[in-house]
Amino acid sequence: MTTEARRKRASISDVARLAGVAVGTVSNVLNRPDIVAPATRARVEAAIKEMSFVPNAVARQLRVGTITTVGVVVLDIRNPFFTEVARGVEDRLALADHTLMLASSDDDPARERKYLQLFEQHGVVGLLVVPSGPDLDQLLEVQSRGVRVVLLDAPAGSSGLSSVSVDDEAGGALAMAHLIERGHTQVVMLNGSHDIRQCAARLVGARRAASAAGLDPEAAVREVQLRALDSASGVEATLALADAPDGLPSAIFCVNDLVAVGVQRALRLRGGTALLESVAIVGYDDIDIASELAVPLTSVRQPTHEMGYRAADLLLAPESAEIEQVVFAPELVVRASSAR
Amino acid sequence: MTTEARRKRASISDVARLAGVAVGTVSNVLNRPDIVAPATRARVEAAIKEMSFVPNAVARQLRVGTITTVGVVVLDIRNPFFTEVARGVEDRLALADHTLMLASSDDDPARERKYLQLFEQHGVVGLLVVPSGPDLDQLLEVQSRGVRVVLLDAPAGSSGLSSVSVDDEAGGALAMAHLIERGHTQVVMLNGSHDIRQCAARLVGARRAASAAGLDPEAAVREVQLRALDSASGVEATLALADAPDGLPSAIFCVNDLVAVGVQRALRLRGGTALLESVAIVGYDDIDIASELAVPLTSVRQPTHEMGYRAADLLLAPESAEIEQVVFAPELVVRASSAR
DNA sequence: GTGAAAGCGCTAACAA
DNA sequence: TTGTTAGCGCTTTCAC
């Protein structure tokens, strides 16, 4: 190791010169060591160590065309849902010695576009993206240029893309059916904008379950739309419900666990543990601490890690592989919050 | 947009041919549009669109040497602490149009080494790494080859690296001083292995605070080492304490919030809410749901996002910039769990 | 088994 | 203003 910072990294020809061989030979000891004579190989390896030579993957990529980088665009890496997915992706890529370039679009189409472009310029093998809107044109364009694209957490429909997603209608239905079984015939659903596909689908599912149970879907599931999908909005909406003429419902279905956390906080604020325990709550995502809340939260779990893993798997599949749309089934985890 | 997948991406010379100009001219409209005649520029731009040409950043990089990718290695991206840090990094990099390659080392030096090598081969401008052990040799080597390296969440000491970290001794002291102030003269610290720098430092800090308050540090802070730093270990350790001859202490300081969550779970399991409220608990990290637990958790907060942001800032600093070691101060967030 | 050389896509220097 | 060309570091024929 040299003590002083080098201005430029050593190249293969520097090594060749030092070892007194041709660059092709150095390349050979790097890539097919078996075909070079032991003596020469030793000499080259010594030179490599001596110069602390690190092969330039960029030059290699330019030459051979192929590359081992995958771009991932999620809405926000701080969201545990996405970090679990990202970890699944990473774990699958590691098996293939690929690396992951990651970006958060913040659900902003402009940011998404910027990152897609950046990644494509960098020549990624493929792109895993949680689309920020319903417009898949740019993704299709990218795919038409030979970059594999897999949609994450959104069904690709008939667009011609591969995708890995979870059945959100089924999730909504699961939650609602459970509440109905527990005797609730009127639930409030704290939901996000229907521009968010998941939100719309979960409501559809909930209403479907109501119908299936012989209830009037519109009456059985009253929707309240939130500005944001965090705990603060959950608090706000719950307080508003409590202050409304109708008062609090006997059951609340939250479009995600953070909102549910807010609901719990608001209930405790308003009426202490007694009130908190008197209304049934179901969340969505089954985040880590759902089981650790004041009242452990019943929640719909999605196979996050597996989604990421599978998506990376599709991406890495041989070129010949067909477009495939994987839909995972969610699962209900019942805890105290819906025990009545 | 072509319907059919292209076998190969269009190159700058394809565009030049179509537009009837030289490659240099195409390069110019890409990089210095102002110096090319409007008419030619329009023609070239049309050709670019026509072929849906995407400049090859790899070739560009090979040519100009400079690049806009930064490698980040954390222990586990699922850990909220690291995802917050990563988001800080990402936010800073976005300002400079840089992208982030991310990997989780799982605290395994071999994995760390592999990723560092991968990133270096890819020619990253720099590396932000949460070191998996005390051995910084590889990082120094990498830096000696001209790759900027900034340590994350670990002080670089006199190694010659830049670093951004949080003062863990101060954090431990903060927690202990608070408990002392609340009247506890004997606390149990649920800690991890001292091989983990943070664990060792937090204990040192806690004992320092005890000394400062005139207590015998060894007696005031009794350490119990955990196998793992998750809630399951917290449960296990707490049950063991409860069953021991000495019984439960009046206060427990947990090396992180997950452990604290486990402690709360165990206490509730053993003696219900009453027991839970009878022992003071302080956690570390101030994770999102610390405020949402059955008994909201007092915790030591670290400026995670800012750490990442600052680290990226150091990395992006002009070459001339000096080695710098930034140490952030933690902050105590007091909630009900330590109110007695 | 090894060397020489072409060429991947691009930029920058220089020529026209 | 535009064209021509060398060369970034590497792999891969093709001779030797």
Side-chain angles (χ1 to χ4, degrees):
Chain A
M1 188 197 127
T2 354
T3 5
E4 183 179 316
R6 219 46 89 41
R7 202 94 303 269
K8 246 181 143 330
R9 46 200 281 207
S11 82
I12 204 174
S13 65
D14 296 328
V15 173
R17 198 172 318 116
L18 181 60
V21 299
V23 293
T25 305
V26 177
S27 173
N28 281 335
V29 340
L30 254 27
N31 302 299
R32 289 118 69 205
D34 37 308
I35 78 156
V36 15
T40 346
R41 186 163 79 205
R43 209 141 35 92
V44 171
E45 279 164 351
I48 287 177
K49 182 156 275 177
E50 161 84 17
M51 312 196 70
S52 78
F53 164 73
V54 177
N56 185 328
V58 170
R60 168 168 222 289
Q61 179 189 339
L62 179 59
R63 176 61 232 244
V64 306
T66 172
I67 196 201
T68 58
T69 304
V70 169
V72 178
V73 183
V74 299
L75 302 188
D76 184 354
I77 188 59
R78 281 172 303 193
N79 184 325
F81 176 82
F82 296 123
T83 92
E84 276 297 333
V85 173
R87 194 41 148 93
V89 172
E90 192 190 353
D91 287 347
R92 177 64 186 88
L93 292 183
L95 295 184
D97 271 320
H98 280 46
T99 45
L100 183 169
M101 301 183 71
L102 184 73
S104 303
S105 69
D106 283 342
D107 208 2
D108 172 357
R111 268 180 73 110
E112 177 182 317
R113 180 157 44 245
K114 196 189 98 186
Y115 280 120
L116 291 181
Q117 192 174 331
L118 217 48
F119 286 160
E120 187 179 2
Q121 291 183 1
H122 277 276
V124 295
V125 224
L127 251 14
L128 296 173
V129 3
V130 181
S132 66
D135 181 6
L136 303 178
D137 283 0
Q138 194 193 3
L139 290 171
L140 285 165
E141 266 183 61
V142 171
Q143 177 166 271
S144 78
R145 289 186 214 108
V147 178
R148 297 187 69 89
V149 176
V150 177
L151 249 43
L152 267 174
D153 195 32
S158 55
S159 62
L161 294 171
S162 287
S163 68
V164 176
S165 58
V166 185
D167 188 338
D168 284 286
E169 284 195 28
L174 224 45
M176 187 63 193
H178 169 70
L179 289 170
I180 292 171
E181 197 193 75
R182 284 286 203 266
H184 303 277
T185 54
Q186 278 236 51
V187 343
V188 165
M189 176 171 180
L190 298 184
N191 204 5
S193 155
H194 289 199
D195 293 348
I196 305 176
R197 189 192 49 75
Q198 286 85 342
C199 296
R202 287 170 198 175
L203 175 64
V204 168
R207 294 221 158 114
R208 200 181 60 204
S211 289
L215 300 173
D216 170 18
E218 303 287 325
V221 183
R222 180 154 68 92
E223 184 189 34
V224 172
Q225 289 213 2
L226 270 30
R227 283 174 303 95
L229 298 180
D230 51 22
S231 58
S233 307
V235 170
E236 195 181 316
T238 306
L239 294 179
L241 282 172
D243 292 338
D246 294 350
L248 287 164
S250 73
I252 301 180
F253 171 32
C254 303
V255 75
N256 74 27
D257 285 350
L258 291 179
V259 171
V261 160
V263 170
Q264 289 201 355
R265 191 192 307 170
L267 291 176
R268 195 167 42 195
L269 238 55
R270 213 25 100 76
T273 313
L275 181 60
L276 175 50
E277 286 174 356
S278 74
V279 3
I281 305 174
V282 174
Y284 211 107
D285 284 348
D286 192 32
I287 59 179
D288 242 21
I289 43 65
S291 54
E292 304 302 338
L293 294 171
V295 175
L297 185 67
T298 294
S299 188
V300 179
R301 174 190 293 163
Q302 313 188 66
T304 44
H305 186 276
E306 199 175 349
M307 282 179 63
Y309 194 96
R310 192 81 164 76
D313 214 43
L314 285 184
L315 192 65
L316 262 20
E319 296 252 342
S320 59
E322 314 219 329
I323 300 302
E324 194 171 336
Q325 302 190 2
V326 179
V327 179
F328 284 105
E331 178 190 352
L332 186 73
V333 183
V334 178
R335 299 199 184 85
S337 75
S338 62
R340 294 235 54 179
Chain B
M1 191 199 123
T2 352
T3 4
E4 183 179 316
R6 219 47 89 39
R7 202 92 307 268
K8 242 178 145 333
R9 46 199 284 208
S11 82
I12 204 173
S13 64
D14 297 325
V15 173
R17 198 174 315 115
L18 179 61
V21 298
V23 293
T25 305
V26 178
S27 173
N28 280 336
V29 340
L30 254 26
N31 302 299
R32 286 116 71 205
D34 38 307
I35 79 156
V36 16
T40 352
R41 187 164 78 205
R43 209 141 36 88
V44 171
E45 278 164 352
I48 287 177
K49 183 157 277 176
E50 161 84 18
M51 313 196 68
S52 82
F53 163 73
V54 176
N56 185 329
V58 170
R60 170 169 221 288
Q61 179 189 341
L62 180 58
R63 176 59 235 240
V64 307
T66 171
I67 196 201
T68 58
T69 304
V70 170
V72 178
V73 182
V74 299
L75 302 189
D76 183 354
I77 188 59
R78 282 172 301 193
N79 183 326
F81 176 81
F82 296 123
T83 93
E84 276 296 334
V85 172
R87 193 40 145 94
V89 171
E90 192 190 355
D91 288 346
R92 178 62 187 89
L93 292 184
L95 294 184
D97 272 318
H98 279 47
T99 46
L100 182 168
M101 299 183 73
L102 185 72
S104 302
S105 68
D106 284 342
D107 208 2
D108 171 357
R111 269 180 73 113
E112 176 182 318
R113 180 158 40 246
K114 195 189 98 185
Y115 280 119
L116 291 180
Q117 191 175 328
L118 216 49
F119 286 160
E120 187 179 2
Q121 290 184 0
H122 277 277
V124 295
V125 223
L127 251 14
L128 296 173
V129 2
V130 181
S132 65
D135 180 5
L136 303 178
D137 282 0
Q138 195 193 1
L139 290 170
L140 284 165
E141 266 182 61
V142 171
Q143 178 166 270
S144 78
R145 290 185 212 107
V147 178
R148 297 187 68 90
V149 176
V150 178
L151 250 42
L152 269 174
D153 195 34
S158 55
S159 62
L161 295 170
S162 286
S163 67
V164 176
S165 58
V166 185
D167 187 337
D168 284 287
E169 283 194 30
L174 224 44
M176 186 62 193
H178 168 69
L179 288 171
I180 293 171
E181 196 193 77
R182 285 285 203 267
H184 303 277
T185 54
Q186 278 238 50
V187 342
V188 164
M189 175 171 182
L190 298 184
N191 205 6
S193 154
H194 288 201
D195 292 347
I196 305 176
R197 188 192 50 76
Q198 286 86 341
C199 296
R202 288 170 197 174
L203 175 64
V204 168
R207 293 221 160 116
R208 199 182 60 203
S211 289
L215 301 172
D216 170 17
E218 301 288 326
V221 183
R222 180 154 67 94
E223 183 188 34
V224 172
Q225 289 213 3
L226 271 31
R227 281 175 304 95
L229 299 180
D230 51 21
S231 57
S233 307
V235 170
E236 193 180 316
T238 307
L239 293 179
L241 281 173
D243 292 338
D246 294 350
L248 287 164
S250 72
I252 301 179
F253 171 33
C254 303
V255 75
N256 74 27
D257 285 350
L258 291 178
V259 171
V261 160
V263 170
Q264 289 200 354
R265 192 192 304 168
L267 291 177
R268 194 166 42 196
L269 237 57
R270 212 25 98 78
T273 312
L275 180 59
L276 176 50
E277 286 173 355
S278 75
V279 3
I281 305 173
V282 175
Y284 212 108
D285 284 348
D286 192 31
I287 60 179
D288 243 22
I289 42 64
S291 55
E292 305 302 338
L293 294 171
V295 175
L297 185 67
T298 294
S299 189
V300 179
R301 174 189 292 161
Q302 313 188 65
T304 45
H305 186 277
E306 199 174 348
M307 280 178 64
Y309 194 96
R310 192 80 164 80
D313 214 45
L314 284 184
L315 192 64
L316 262 21
E319 296 253 342
S320 58
E322 314 218 329
I323 300 304
E324 194 171 336
Q325 303 191 2
V326 179
V327 178
F328 284 105
E331 179 189 352
L332 185 74
V333 183
V334 177
R335 299 199 183 86
S337 75
S338 62
R340 292 238 52 180

